[in-house]
Each structure stands twice: as structure tokens, then as C-alpha cells.
Amino acid sequence: MKCIFCQIINKESPADVVFENEKIIVFKDINPKAPVHLLVVPKEHIKSLNKLENKELLFEIFLTIKKIARKVGILQGHQVIISVGEKGGQEVDHLHFHLLGGWK
Ligand code: 5GP
Ligand code: ZN
């Protein structure tokens, strides 16, 4: 079966999308581990951080994280988490950055 995040990107699966441009999509994690738990995902299917070589894309992802953190009110306090590989807890083999926050 096709990658679940590619399905979301291609609108073949539903997701609560909070931001999207031609390169990046941001949507709510289906199983949130914090009051705010978003996934920042490049639209290109890159398997993991180990396979990312595009510096511009990496920079744009972090600019997007900052922009979205500001938009949802967690700019002053949040976590960015990246799981890399099965032993690093990566369950979806499409590069994604967890943006977590909103704790009291
Ligand atoms: P990982 O463990 O790979 O770092 O994180 C994968 C994340 O994707 C998990 O937090 C999981 O809850 C989320 N997730 C898995 N499948 C779906 C889905 O179909 N839709 C959404 N919105 N999130 C998903
Ligand atoms: Zn994919």
C-alpha cells in the first residue's frame, strides 16, 4: 500500500490540514501527544532525515515550523521532534517533523 502521508498529500486520505504550499504540508497528528501536536511534512516522499540532502528544503521546513508555531500560539515554547529509523521510533517512512506544545 502507498505511503499514508503521500495519500494525505494527494488528498486520497483525510487530514486536518493547517497549512500547505507547493513543498510542505502541515496537519494535526491523529494521535496527539500534546495539546498541540502537528506534523510538518515535505510533499516529496523522502524516507527519513538520513535521506534528506536538499538544504533549501530543510531551511524552508524550519521557517514553516516557526511560522506555524507563531500562528497556533506556541512560538515561545514548543518542541520539534524527529524520529529517524525504526530503532528511533519512526513509524511512518515519510520524513516528518513533530511540532508539539500548548502545555499549561
Ligand atoms: P513517527 O512515530 O513516525 O515519528 O510519527 C508518526 C506520527 O504519525 C504518529 O504520531 C502518528 O500518530 C501519526 N499518524 C500516523 N498515521 C496518521 C494518519 O493517518 N493521519 C494523521 N493525521 N497522523 C497519523
Ligand atoms: Zn510518502
Side-chain angles (χ1 to χ4, degrees):
M1 216 183 81
K2 211 163 136 193
C3 163
I4 181 64
F5 287 178
C6 282
Q7 288 180 4
I8 289 171
I9 289 158
N10 294 324
K11 312 294 180 204
E12 294 158 7
S13 283
D16 205 336
V17 175
V18 301
F19 172 84
E20 172 167 27
N21 66 16
E22 69 283 0
K23 289 191 194 136
I24 296 166
I25 188 167
V26 182
F27 52 88
K28 291 185 182 172
D29 196 292
I30 205 168
N31 180 23
K33 288 151 195 96
V36 176
H37 187 173
L38 301 174
L39 298 170
V40 181
V41 183
K43 287 190 171 176
E44 184 185 343
H45 182 92
I46 298 165
K47 199 176 168 196
S48 83
L49 189 64
N50 288 343
K51 299 285 181 191
L52 178 63
E53 286 172 354
N54 183 338
K55 284 189 223 169
E56 268 183 38
L57 181 60
L58 181 62
F59 184 59
E60 196 167 330
I61 288 167
F62 274 98
L63 286 181
T64 302
I65 287 170
K66 204 159 70 169
K67 181 162 75 180
I68 300 303
R70 185 181 291 117
K71 182 178 163 181
V72 301
I74 60 169
L75 186 63
Q76 299 310 321
H78 59 268
Q79 292 181 347
V80 178
I81 294 176
I82 313 160
S83 312
V84 184
E86 203 182 331
K87 288 183 184 162
Q90 186 177 357
E91 288 175 2
V92 176
D93 285 336
H94 181 133
L95 176 63
H96 54 278
F97 296 66
H98 296 260
L99 173 59
L100 301 131
W103 303 282
K104 294 281 171 245

